Amino acid sequence: MVGRVFQDMERLGHVDLEASEMAIRASSHQIGGSLLEKLLNADGGDYRGARTPCGKGHRAQFIEYRDKQLLTVLSPVEVKRAYYHCEQCQEGVIPKDHNLDIVDTSFSPGVRRMMGQVGGKEPFEEGRRDLENLAGVLVKTKAVERVSQAIGKQIETVFQAERELALSGKVVPLKAVPKMYIAIDGTGVPMVRRETEGRKGKDETGKAKTREAKLGCVFTQTTLDENQRPVRDEHSTTYVGAIETAEAFGTRIYAEAIRRGVSRAAQVVVLGDGARWIWGIAEEHFYGAIHIVDLYHAREHLALIAKLVYGASAIKSKAWLDARREQLDAGDVEAVIASMHRLRPSPTQVQQAVRTAADYFHTNAERMRYAEFRKQGLFVGSGVVEAGCKTICGQRLKQSGMHWTVRGANAIIALRCCQLSSRWEEFWEARALG
Ligand SMILES: [Zn+2]
């Protein structure tokens, strides 16, 4: 291949750089691949004698050598492995596959890592194309999907163990943090039909088409900027999430907070929208925390009412909204509620919507003392978790035409959360150490 590059160069009289780099990359991958193949087979197949432990307490017997086609980031290679069989388990045992981390897969860890990298970030088909274009790795879309989901499940298993350890109280946080924020939100993920059967939905059919993914993040804050606004500690945000019950999610986010040192936080703040399950979790797991309803969510409720009540009249709507927003910013929730009570919309539906909104502000009044929170140098908007929600679930899971199973979505949420929490590297290092 490199030879051809030189021939082309002579013929054309100049270097076509792009074609040359691609050709040389391809041939160096081939050279590297054959080197790797030699290296992988230098052990002659990892023969461990006539018998070897099966891993479940028995002795498996050597049968023969078996070759496996393995796709690596360099090229496909053939790996020779000693194959054993356990009578009791009725199962094949290949010690070498365990050593190389290639059990039940024909993709090397390097290729799988790349597949997971793209699969957590973008639709599987786009990921497949990126692998081909960026890395010269040719795989099927379905393989990107399967491998990404398998990695997501492994991440969930590893992090689940970590959460249990955190909950056991055996983890001692290293350093104290001035302020820790726990931001929680939910977002609908489109599901395949069988996952929503019998569930109530909000649209005209009354049938659910989505399931709620619960998402949370933990971040810390140490300083204020020159305008006395809070500054999030850089790289301090970690994410967790899943489609699961509020109870299960409560344990998940609580364990994450412990891992992040909540027991040594001087101040703990729970940020969320008005959803009742969020405050339930706050009450149960974060006793004594400051509750703050995300200012942006609260404003959305006001905007909705302005639109419903004043409809087409943009000026009236804007005037009403501006005045309410000012009251809200000042934390004067009572004034907001009073002006809602003064509204006299005629359609019954709008009346109902106004009542619901007024109730929302009433219920959450103490969580909306924004002026007071700002005075304390606290964040009042959960832009962080909103961005997280959009990044994790919106972009990745909610594109048109996508339909998920709960298992599939949860695996990708776990994968995505791991990557966004900057723990992807750590996960693979831990794997390599076995
Ligand atoms: Zn066995």
Side-chain angles (χ1 to χ4, degrees):
M1 236 182 242
V2 177
R4 205 183 64 216
V5 171
F6 284 109
Q7 278 167 22
D8 284 352
M9 209 172 89
E10 274 168 27
R11 190 165 47 83
L12 296 168
H14 71 273
V15 180
D16 178 341
L17 179 56
E18 197 272 334
S20 305
E21 18 183 359
M22 295 313 266
I24 293 173
R25 181 178 77 174
S27 67
S28 62
H29 274 195
Q30 266 171 18
I31 295 166
S34 57
L35 276 174
L36 183 63
E37 193 174 71
K38 281 205 183 77
L39 186 70
L40 289 175
N41 292 315
D43 62 4
D46 196 12
Y47 178 71
R48 309 253 173 123
R51 286 181 172 273
T52 194
C54 80
K56 287 168 193 151
H58 323 121
R59 312 270 299 159
Q61 189 175 359
F62 176 71
I63 305 291
E64 62 188 347
Y65 287 101
R66 289 191 181 173
D67 288 342
K68 164 146 137 171
Q69 288 287 330
L70 188 71
L71 183 68
T72 73
V73 297
L74 297 164
S75 74
V77 298
E78 209 165 72
V79 187
K80 184 180 178 186
R81 313 111 79 223
Y83 176 86
Y84 292 78
H85 188 265
C86 174
E87 276 293 314
Q88 284 92 332
C89 296
Q90 279 297 308
E91 255 176 18
V93 180
I94 305 169
K96 187 164 174 175
D97 283 4
H98 283 276
N99 274 356
L100 296 178
D101 187 10
I102 53 167
V103 177
D104 294 331
T105 175
S106 53
F107 300 108
S108 73
V111 169
R112 299 204 310 274
R113 181 175 170 153
M114 284 183 180
M115 289 166 121
Q117 182 99 40
V118 295
K121 204 175 60 187
E122 57 195 354
F124 302 120
E125 169 57 21
E126 278 172 38
R128 185 203 65 75
R129 259 180 279 152
D130 274 351
L131 289 183
E132 179 174 350
N133 294 328
L134 301 177
V137 169
L138 299 174
V139 292
K140 292 209 164 68
T141 302
K142 197 71 197 165
V144 178
E145 177 177 347
R146 276 203 203 104
V147 169
S148 297
Q149 297 194 339
I151 294 170
K153 275 181 208 140
Q154 287 157 6
I155 289 171
E156 177 62 11
T157 306
V158 172
F159 287 6
Q160 171 66 30
E162 189 185 71
R163 285 194 291 275
E164 275 160 22
L165 191 68
L167 292 169
S168 75
K170 285 178 195 138
V171 183
V172 182
L174 294 174
K175 63 174 199 227
V177 280
K179 293 186 175 78
M180 178 173 284
Y181 292 83
I182 322 282
I184 304 175
D185 205 352
T187 189
V189 176
M191 290 282 128
V192 297
R193 195 179 296 164
R194 68 182 156 85
E195 296 281 17
T196 55
E197 219 126 279
R199 287 174 170 266
K200 282 196 195 115
K202 288 177 194 154
D203 75 352
E204 59 284 356
T205 66
K207 283 179 189 150
K209 294 187 176 60
T210 61
R211 294 276 298 263
E212 183 179 54
K214 296 183 173 69
L215 191 76
C217 73
V218 176
F219 63 98
T220 60
Q221 179 218 326
T222 310
T223 55
L224 300 171
D225 68 11
E226 63 270 24
N227 299 317
Q228 299 304 301
R229 278 189 303 242
V231 182
R232 179 158 52 113
D233 294 338
E234 219 181 330
H235 307 303
S236 76
T237 315
T238 54
Y239 298 84
V240 295
I243 298 171
E244 62 190 354
T245 62
E247 192 189 355
F249 180 78
T251 309
R252 181 184 296 270
I253 186 78
Y254 177 52
E256 179 64 7
I258 292 178
R259 192 183 72 81
R260 297 293 311 278
V262 73
S263 64
R264 293 200 62 196
Q267 226 170 9
V268 178
V269 178
V270 177
L271 274 165
D273 64 8
R276 205 174 301 163
W277 62 268
I278 294 176
W279 304 114
I281 289 173
E283 294 289 346
E284 184 181 347
H285 295 294
F286 303 105
Y287 182 77
I290 299 170
H291 294 190
I292 301 179
V293 163
D294 184 330
L295 177 61
Y296 303 98
H297 273 108
R299 281 181 179 168
E300 269 174 24
H301 284 259
L302 291 178
L304 177 74
I305 294 305
K307 203 175 127 202
L308 283 175
V309 173
Y310 295 107
S313 169
I315 297 171
K316 263 185 150 175
S317 167
K318 191 178 177 301
W320 187 85
L321 190 56
D322 285 349
R324 299 300 81 72
R325 280 174 66 147
E326 215 164 283
Q327 290 167 336
L328 188 61
D329 277 353
D332 192 353
V333 187
E334 286 68 23
V336 172
I337 297 170
S339 29
M340 282 190 171
H341 286 320
R342 280 196 297 274
L343 293 171
R344 294 271 178 268
S346 35
T348 343
Q349 269 173 311
V350 178
Q351 286 170 11
Q352 183 54 46
V354 171
R355 260 199 303 275
T356 308
D359 284 349
Y360 168 84
F361 282 93
H362 179 75
T363 310
N364 292 299
E366 294 313 313
R367 302 180 178 126
M368 296 184 179
R369 305 298 180 197
Y370 298 117
E372 179 56 32
F373 298 144
R374 283 208 188 87
K375 213 185 293 165
Q376 293 180 40
L378 300 171
F379 279 103
V380 295
S382 64
V384 180
V385 75
E386 282 297 285
C389 239
K390 286 195 183 95
T391 322
I392 292 175
C393 300
Q395 278 173 20
R396 184 61 193 89
L397 300 174
K398 289 166 81 163
Q399 295 185 21
S400 70
M402 281 187 179
H403 294 96
W404 298 86
T405 60
V406 171
R407 276 167 68 96
N410 277 346
I412 297 304
I413 294 171
L415 178 60
R416 191 89 190 102
C417 284
C418 171
Q419 292 170 339
L420 287 172
S421 305
S422 308
R423 303 192 68 196
W424 180 240
E425 205 69 34
E426 182 190 324
F427 169 74
W428 286 95
E429 269 168 27
R431 255 191 98 74
L433 294 173

